[in-house]
Amino acid sequence: MSEYIEFDPKEDHGHHHKETFITKYIFSQDHKMIAKQYLITGVLFMGVIGILMSLLMRLQIAWPEEPNIIFEFLLGKWAPEGVMDADIYLALVTMHGTIMVFFVLTAGLSGTFSNLLIPLQIGARDMASGFLNMVSFWLFFVSTVIMVISIFVEAGPAAAGWTIYPPLSALEFAQGGSGLGMTLWLVSMAIFIASSLLGSLNYIVTVINLRTKGMTLMRMPLTIWAFFVTAIIGVISFPVLLSAALLLIMDRSFGTSFFLSDIFIQGEVLHYQGGSPVLFEHLFWFLGHPEVYIVLLPALGIASEVISTNSRKPIFGYKAMVLSILAIAFLSTIVWGHHMFISGMNPFLGSVFTFTTLLIAIPSAVKAFNYITTLWKGNIQFNPAMLFSIGFVSTFITGGLTGIILGDSALDINLHDTYFVVAHFHLVMGISALYGLFAGVYHWFPRLFNRMLNKNLGYIHFWVTAICAYGVFFPMHFIGMAGLPRRYYTNSNFPLFDDLADTNQIITVFAIIGGLIQIVFLYNFIHSMFYGKKSEQNPWKSNTLEWTASMEHIHGNWQGKIPEVHRWPYDYSKPGYDEDFVPQHKPLKKGETEY
Amino acid sequence: MSTFFTVLILLFIVVAIWQIVKIYDLTQVNTSTDNSQIANDKDNKINGNLMLGFLIFIYAITIICFIRYGDFPLMSNSASAHGPKIDNLMVVSMALIFFVQTITQFFLYYFAYKYKGQKGNKAFFYSDNHKLEFIWTIIPAITLTCLITYGLVTWSDIMNLDQDEDPMVIELYAQQFNWKARYSGNDNALGKSNVRLIDIDRANILGVDEFDPNAQDDIITTELHLPVGRPILFKMRSQDVLHSAYMPHFRAQMNCVPGMITQFSFTPTVTTDEMRKTPEIIEKVININNIRAEKSKDLIAKGEEGLDPYEFDYLLLCNKICGKSHYNMQMKIIVETQEEFDNWIEQQTKFKNSLIAKN
């Protein structure tokens, strides 16, 4: 490893090939450029589409009968006279879920920050394989293009929900979206999984092999721990979804019966025999639940780093934080059945899954308490990233707590697939992960573009978003407890739910404000990218290695030697030092103890 | 044309927000001397205070929600024997998470407010305390153990069927997009069935085996009538895609899966008539009818038909996405006395008599 440190980019790397526009900006193998590519494709582009779709859904739910000119314009033939088609509502539900979960919060979040931070924070010149990293991004790009194309096919995009349970997703006659739209969905996801696996393997190998001298595992920043463990869960669980997708493609196109049996539809009996949709549910949720943590863990890592830096205090209980990440990761792979309590599986199995599910509350509680203790007696600097991190802890607690209710199989009987579930997972994985994402963007924008984001716009962005997030999802729990099922195109066929209509309108108003305020962020992002104030080398006075790297974006990260690491990354306000931070590459003083 | 203008207006709104932000952004540059874009004492103070404000906002929205929505009739009066058990568990769990939520959010936002940064201050270097961490691992662990035990006892109570109770067997049959019920008749045994036996021409719509002796007295209906106080064992089937039989008033739900038979059992305890007379339901119905009357006025003004007034009924809803008309897949449930039930079932056609003879 020491040889690697001697490696000098000036002699070896910087000049040996001339970078053209194409190798620098398009087929780049530099992890920093790939991070930017993920950020722009995954987060900005797909994020805008995903949020727009949710606003259309909210408009439909709040004012279902009234013709809406926005629908007529945006949905064209799918909203004749401005009245949304019921199939298209389900398509919006499906595509919003797919885009937000996979494209924005998996690829966007992990792709951006794992790529940017893993080499920079562990002291490596690049990922273990720059080429694979590039391939990973371009596979992701192809899957994005296919997914976006699928929105425009004749019969509409996939509309079976983001969980695409067969037989609905398998039978072309079952639903408009189950034709070409679903085929494209499956193809896009298969490519997406390939991309995700290449990325994850690269992250794992890089973290294991390329740490700089002195960067022991227990000196790694919590961001790296989170990205590392996320990649491991991804490698364990994504292949199972791929197998499910492939088997579903077989059922759809080649007449096999993995998930289908005894079906009578459109006046005829189909030949399928002996398969089971429950098998698909098992395979899907074997990925689907770890997926929640693939989305959440990077956000937890980012929040840990940002909270510690901005509190000017070490993260409380570093070892407990690492252990709880590992515990959450382990438990996340054995709880998938809590999505299936009432799927018809054996009730005893339900008991086992209730048990493992509620166990996750323990490491999660430890994390929440540790964050709060980190704030205690701090010297908190309210940079926008810090606001989003505190917001993250808040929604993580609120959303996590309702998980205790949904994870309890007996309570799930009555709440399953109601708006209570929608409120729960949007708070705990949607909003929380988005907050983590925003915190990351605000915190590492200087590292990405060498410029600062405008802080006042950041404050406006945070406070309006925070109020709207609670305004949307808090009342939603209650309409769920009133028994309102999710994925209903309109509730007007159920007079029973008429008294919930005004609540739905309030929620929609909050959603629209919350959606529009993201324009402030977009403006801030695009404007600051070109005209923002030039950043200093280490604007947040942070300890981690990425702030020692060359300001100029060179392929190799450090001019000269890679710094050696002598301490953990959280020596903030350590007694015996004048400054309130001690970067990781500063040697320990004589007699100084670590931690 | 109006579409065009609306879109233009929307576009203008977006551009306007963008421009306002830009103007705001530009004014900032000239006025503030500190342009580092890093939080200073003033920012810390403002945002620290806002943190406290936000805590109050969270508490306020919680209280408003509980006052306004906390007593949905659906939450307080279940109509099945096991319903109160689920409701109790719900109340206990809600109380617990409400308590934890209130405390943790308080500390989070209060600390953020109290320890807002100031130049010259130094944070307290405090990286570890095993005792503290042990405490907040063990307390959630103990609490959750109790909750898990309570939950699992309730769950197995509900799901484990006691055959000694002699439940009445009813099949719930789902298809895009309606429900059917099949009563097992006097023998209390359902005839064999398979979708391959469906013969629309002969009106054998559920694919019941017409040669099975058990099938002869089966009765197929489009309304679900249940005798009060009698345990019912539902056998669920679906002919096409996944559906979910959701009966919120009875705290009951089970998926209907093509190719397999799923089951759920409960005992209805309150008849439809009794439920309609409970004060909560009376209040809810009045409230809903006011809303509907209001809507009808608008509709009639537009020259359309008004809405019918609402009368309370138990419902079976589809709660698993199943296609285009998923939002309207429902069946009325009527709980009545044994006597009323017997009269009703007497009038229904038996399966063997419902088949149309082959030409």
Side-chain angles (χ1 to χ4, degrees):
Chain A
M1 200 182 278
S2 63
E3 259 177 85
Y4 195 76
I5 293 167
E6 302 300 331
F7 182 90
D8 188 343
K10 267 187 180 164
E11 289 166 17
D12 260 311
H13 218 91
H15 296 288
H16 82 269
H17 64 91
K18 204 169 176 302
E19 283 193 306
T20 62
F21 178 81
I22 288 183
T23 58
K24 189 169 179 198
Y25 292 105
I26 299 177
F27 294 107
S28 171
Q29 301 193 12
D30 179 26
H31 70 100
K32 298 185 290 296
M33 184 54 68
I34 292 173
K36 286 183 212 174
Q37 291 173 326
Y38 267 112
L39 182 60
I40 287 164
T41 334
V43 179
L44 297 190
F45 178 66
M46 289 306 254
V48 168
I49 297 180
I51 289 176
L52 260 179
M53 285 179 161
S54 71
L55 294 185
L56 291 179
M57 279 148 56
R58 280 312 318 176
L59 283 172
Q60 167 62 27
I61 298 165
W63 295 282
E65 274 106 31
E66 285 152 52
N68 192 321
I69 295 165
I70 301 171
F71 293 164
E72 199 174 350
F73 175 72
L74 282 175
L75 301 172
K77 66 160 187 172
W78 292 323
E81 317 266 309
V83 179
M84 189 189 282
D85 184 74
D87 257 346
I88 286 313
Y89 176 77
L90 295 180
L92 285 173
V93 171
T94 307
M95 296 310 282
H96 166 74
T98 309
I99 287 175
M100 293 311 277
V101 171
F102 291 113
F103 289 80
V104 180
L105 294 177
T106 303
L109 182 58
S110 275
T112 307
F113 292 106
S114 297
N115 265 312
L116 176 71
L117 294 177
I118 288 179
L120 281 170
Q121 287 197 332
I122 63 171
R125 298 226 178 260
D126 202 336
M127 284 288 177
S129 167
F131 176 73
L132 277 189
N133 210 15
M134 178 191 80
V135 173
S136 162
F137 171 75
W138 283 103
L139 283 177
F140 167 66
F141 189 82
V142 171
S143 83
T144 308
V145 170
I146 295 176
M147 193 56 87
V148 171
I149 287 173
S150 87
I151 299 172
F152 299 98
V153 300
E154 180 71 25
W162 79 284
T163 53
I164 57 155
Y165 284 171
L168 186 59
S169 61
L171 305 174
E172 231 173 294
F173 340 95
Q175 200 185 21
S178 292
L180 183 59
M182 181 54 69
T183 307
L184 289 176
W185 193 98
L186 288 166
V187 170
S188 167
M189 279 315 295
I191 300 173
F192 179 93
I193 293 166
S195 149
S196 166
L197 287 176
L198 287 181
S200 298
L201 284 173
N202 221 343
Y203 305 150
I204 294 171
V205 173
T206 310
V207 171
I208 291 175
N209 286 323
L210 297 186
R211 279 170 286 126
T212 184
K213 195 174 178 187
M215 180 63 84
T216 58
L217 285 177
M218 291 315 275
R219 277 183 188 162
M220 292 202 303
L222 285 169
T223 35
I224 301 300
W225 268 109
F227 298 148
F228 179 53
V229 174
T230 304
I232 294 175
I233 314 176
V235 168
I236 291 172
S237 57
F238 262 116
V240 180
L241 180 65
L242 184 64
S243 67
L246 290 179
L247 295 182
L248 187 55
I249 289 173
M250 305 263 243
D251 275 7
R252 287 166 54 82
S253 306
F254 305 114
T256 55
S257 301
F258 291 106
F259 306 130
L260 307 176
S261 186
D262 295 338
I263 291 167
F264 179 91
I265 195 166
Q266 299 253 313
E268 59 173 320
V269 178
L270 305 184
H271 69 274
Y272 302 107
Q273 181 83 68
S276 168
V278 178
L279 171 64
F280 180 87
E281 293 177 40
H282 279 295
L283 293 176
F284 181 88
W285 286 113
F286 189 87
L287 159 88
H289 197 81
E291 172 64 27
V292 172
Y293 292 93
I294 291 175
V295 164
L296 194 65
L297 283 180
L300 278 166
I302 289 169
S304 309
E305 181 67 26
V306 172
I307 285 178
S308 174
T309 306
N310 286 295
S311 302
R312 315 307 298 160
K313 263 190 79 186
I315 192 84
F316 182 78
Y318 173 80
K319 280 180 190 153
M321 291 301 245
V322 172
L323 281 177
S324 59
I325 288 178
L326 293 173
I328 289 175
F330 171 71
L331 288 173
S332 79
T333 57
I334 51 168
V335 297
W336 75 90
H338 67 220
H339 299 269
M340 304 167 55
F341 287 138
I342 52 152
S343 67
M345 75 179 182
N346 190 325
F348 176 71
L349 207 50
S351 314
V352 176
F353 282 118
T354 298
F355 177 71
T356 52
T357 301
L358 294 197
L359 285 187
I360 288 198
I362 299 169
S364 307
V366 170
K367 286 195 94 74
F369 291 138
N370 283 359
Y371 285 133
I372 292 171
T373 317
T374 306
L375 295 180
W376 179 67
K377 287 197 172 179
N379 185 28
I380 301 169
Q381 305 300 313
F382 284 110
N383 290 304
M386 182 61 172
L387 294 179
F388 277 104
S389 300
I390 292 176
F392 166 87
V393 179
S394 177
T395 51
F396 178 64
I397 294 172
T398 313
L401 282 172
T402 48
I404 293 177
I405 288 183
L406 286 171
D408 207 327
S409 47
L411 296 177
D412 187 65
I413 294 172
N414 200 44
L415 290 171
H416 190 90
D417 267 339
T418 64
Y419 269 92
F420 192 88
V421 179
V422 179
H424 158 73
F425 75 76
H426 272 95
L427 272 180
V428 79
M429 80 178 256
I431 296 296
S432 294
L434 269 183
Y435 280 2
L437 181 68
F438 284 133
V441 172
Y442 279 101
H443 194 74
W444 282 290
F445 196 84
R447 195 62 288 186
L448 278 164
F449 298 101
N450 284 334
R451 290 177 188 275
M452 308 290 287
L453 281 168
N454 183 307
K455 65 178 172 187
N456 288 325
L457 294 181
Y459 295 147
I460 295 170
H461 177 209
F462 172 74
W463 286 112
V464 178
T465 308
I467 287 174
C468 290
Y470 270 98
V472 169
F473 296 113
F474 209 87
M476 208 180 263
H477 290 105
F478 292 86
I479 58 177
M481 282 189 272
L484 187 64
R486 67 198 276 214
R487 292 167 171 169
Y488 271 16
Y489 158 72
T490 162
N491 307 317
S492 45
N493 295 72
F494 293 92
L496 171 70
F497 299 131
D498 271 358
D499 50 354
L500 307 178
D502 56 341
T503 313
N504 262 326
Q505 287 164 359
I506 295 170
I507 291 174
T508 298
V509 170
F510 273 116
I512 291 171
I513 300 171
L516 286 180
I517 203 70
Q518 305 310 316
I519 295 173
V520 174
F521 172 71
L522 274 183
Y523 169 84
N524 199 358
F525 188 95
I526 295 168
H527 186 264
S528 304
M529 207 158 103
F530 300 108
Y531 308 110
K533 190 191 172 298
K534 281 245 155 58
S535 75
E536 304 158 31
Q537 172 81 34
N538 186 0
W540 318 119
K541 296 195 169 64
S542 181
N543 286 343
T544 37
L545 288 183
E546 76 269 29
W547 305 104
T548 64
S550 159
M551 291 275 283
E552 188 200 340
H553 275 197
I554 51 164
H555 200 170
N557 295 339
W558 281 271
Q559 307 270 15
K561 287 183 183 175
I562 295 178
E564 199 176 303
V565 167
H566 299 282
R567 57 177 76 235
W568 74 322
Y570 297 111
D571 272 343
Y572 291 104
S573 304
K574 196 168 193 186
Y577 285 91
D578 294 337
E579 287 265 32
D580 65 355
F581 69 116
V582 191
Q584 275 191 286
H585 61 275
K586 273 207 176 160
L588 291 172
K589 284 182 187 170
K590 236 183 204 157
E592 187 187 346
T593 49
E594 238 190 307
Y595 298 110
Chain B
M1 210 50 197
S2 63
T3 316
F4 177 72
F5 281 122
T6 318
V7 171
L8 214 61
I9 291 167
L10 281 178
L11 210 67
F12 280 150
I13 293 174
V14 172
V15 174
I17 295 177
W18 185 284
Q19 291 298 338
I20 291 167
V21 172
K22 194 167 180 178
I23 292 164
Y24 173 79
D25 189 12
L26 291 174
T27 53
Q28 292 294 307
V29 179
N30 299 331
T31 51
S32 75
T33 44
D34 167 34
N35 187 27
S36 66
Q37 303 305 340
I38 297 168
N40 54 29
D41 279 0
K42 196 175 141 222
D43 298 322
N44 290 342
K45 199 170 167 209
I46 295 171
N47 284 293
N49 292 336
L50 282 172
M51 284 284 161
L52 206 57
F54 195 69
L55 177 67
I56 293 165
F57 169 75
I58 292 182
Y59 284 171
I61 198 169
T62 311
I63 292 166
I64 291 169
C65 280
F66 269 102
I67 290 175
R68 248 199 97 167
Y69 312 121
D71 63 340
F72 277 133
L74 215 65
M75 278 307 302
S76 49
N77 46 359
S78 62
S80 62
H82 74 271
K85 288 180 201 160
I86 289 188
D87 291 354
N88 283 341
L89 180 59
M90 185 74 179
V91 168
V92 170
S93 306
M94 281 296 269
L96 176 77
I97 70 170
F98 181 74
F99 173 75
V100 177
Q101 161 85 350
T102 311
I103 301 272
T104 46
Q105 300 284 1
F106 171 79
F107 281 116
L108 177 69
Y109 287 106
Y110 178 71
F111 285 168
Y113 157 77
K114 176 113 194 272
Y115 300 107
K116 53 186 177 286
Q118 238 175 339
K119 224 178 174 127
N121 276 7
K122 205 164 182 187
F124 174 47
F125 187 86
Y126 188 58
S127 66
D128 226 346
N129 183 333
H130 290 305
K131 207 166 146 194
L132 217 52
E133 279 165 78
F134 178 74
I135 290 172
W136 60 53
T137 311
I138 207 75
I139 289 179
I142 292 171
T143 320
L144 283 168
T145 311
C146 301
L147 206 61
I148 291 171
T149 315
Y150 184 11
L152 289 184
V153 168
T154 314
W155 168 251
S156 52
D157 225 28
I158 295 166
M159 300 307 280
N160 287 351
L161 182 66
D162 191 356
Q163 285 296 351
D164 302 339
E165 286 178 356
D166 182 31
M168 176 170 147
V169 180
I170 302 176
E171 177 180 85
L172 285 177
Y173 185 85
Q175 68 188 102
Q176 284 179 329
F177 300 93
N178 63 64
W179 295 98
K180 302 262 183 327
R182 176 156 66 112
Y183 290 83
S184 46
N186 294 332
D187 57 2
N188 203 23
L190 288 163
K192 286 197 196 93
S193 60
N194 188 291
V195 290
R196 285 178 169 71
L197 301 173
I198 293 177
D199 190 341
I200 302 285
D201 297 336
R202 302 199 55 218
N204 186 359
I205 45 174
L206 302 198
V208 179
D209 182 358
E210 58 183 288
F211 303 109
D212 184 349
N214 289 333
Q216 304 309 317
D217 62 346
D218 287 4
I219 291 164
I220 298 164
T221 65
T222 52
E223 245 182 19
L224 184 59
H225 285 243
L226 305 173
V228 70
R230 171 108 193 251
I232 315 276
L233 172 59
F234 289 100
K235 298 272 185 185
M236 279 95 163
R237 261 200 320 145
S238 163
Q239 74 168 34
D240 38 38
V241 301
L242 289 177
H243 300 275
S244 185
Y246 180 35
M247 296 171 262
H249 304 95
F250 304 100
R251 311 288 186 266
Q253 180 168 208
M254 183 52 70
N255 285 3
C256 307
V257 185
M260 73 188 256
I261 295 170
T262 55
Q263 62 174 38
F264 195 95
S265 92
F266 68 80
T267 312
T269 50
V270 186
T271 64
T272 304
D273 279 339
E274 284 166 2
M275 193 55 124
R276 281 178 185 162
K277 283 177 195 142
T278 57
E280 291 99 331
I281 293 297
I282 289 174
E283 196 188 329
K284 184 183 169 82
V285 169
I286 289 173
N287 182 20
I288 288 175
N289 276 327
N290 287 340
I291 295 169
R292 289 175 79 79
E294 205 63 33
K295 258 200 212 162
S296 293
K297 261 189 225 160
D298 293 346
L299 286 174
I300 290 165
K302 274 195 249 170
E304 289 171 46
E305 257 179 79
L307 300 168
D308 297 331
Y310 167 64
E311 192 175 27
F312 175 82
D313 263 312
Y314 295 123
L315 280 182
L316 167 65
L317 299 81
C318 179
N319 199 14
K320 183 65 75 191
I321 183 169
C322 67
K324 189 166 186 141
S325 297
H326 169 54
Y327 67 95
N328 192 21
M329 183 169 160
Q330 51 175 313
M331 177 159 70
K332 194 158 116 177
I333 305 176
I334 294 156
V335 181
E336 53 202 1
T337 58
Q338 186 70 46
E339 206 174 315
E340 288 166 324
F341 176 77
D342 292 340
N343 285 337
W344 173 81
I345 202 101
E346 204 58 39
Q347 292 160 19
Q348 308 302 314
T349 323
K350 292 205 162 68
F351 174 69
K352 65 177 174 198
N353 303 328
S354 73
L355 289 175
I356 299 167
K358 237 182 210 157
N359 297 336

